[in-house]
Amino acid sequence: SSSSGGGSGMRYADAAPALRIGQRVMHAKFGEGIVLNCEGSDSNARVQVNFAAVGSKWLVMGYANLQTL
């Protein structure tokens, strides 16, 4: 992924699909969860997910590799 920056921050080419609060997601390690909060944009965005198995965690979208359900 490039670090050219700029733009409006509305492109999701190298980030995960846009998540919304309440969205159900699956994480390879933590299992299924629900999005509680989001902040930031692009690959630096962070998302707070409440996982059934491990509770609430903040994840960086560029690394979290979340799948939407």
Side-chain angles (χ1 to χ4, degrees), residues 32-53:
E32 187 176 325
I34 296 178
V35 176
L36 298 179
N37 205 346
C38 301
E39 66 181 34
S41 61
D42 296 330
S43 59
N44 292 324
R46 297 193 324 140
V47 61
Q48 185 181 24
V49 181
N50 186 31
F51 293 102

Side-chain angles (χ1 to χ4, degrees), residues 6-59:
S8 64
M10 294 304 293
R11 287 170 289 120
Y12 295 100
D14 60 327
L19 297 178
R20 64 183 186 278
I21 293 173
Q23 174 78 52
R24 291 173 59 234
V25 294
M26 179 64 74
H27 185 275
K29 181 176 178 182
F30 302 132
E32 187 176 325
I34 296 178
V35 176
L36 298 179
N37 205 346
C38 301
E39 66 181 34
S41 61
D42 296 330
S43 59
N44 292 324
R46 297 193 324 140
V47 61
Q48 185 181 24
V49 181
N50 186 31
F51 293 102
V54 295
S56 178
K57 292 196 174 291
W58 279 99
L59 304 172

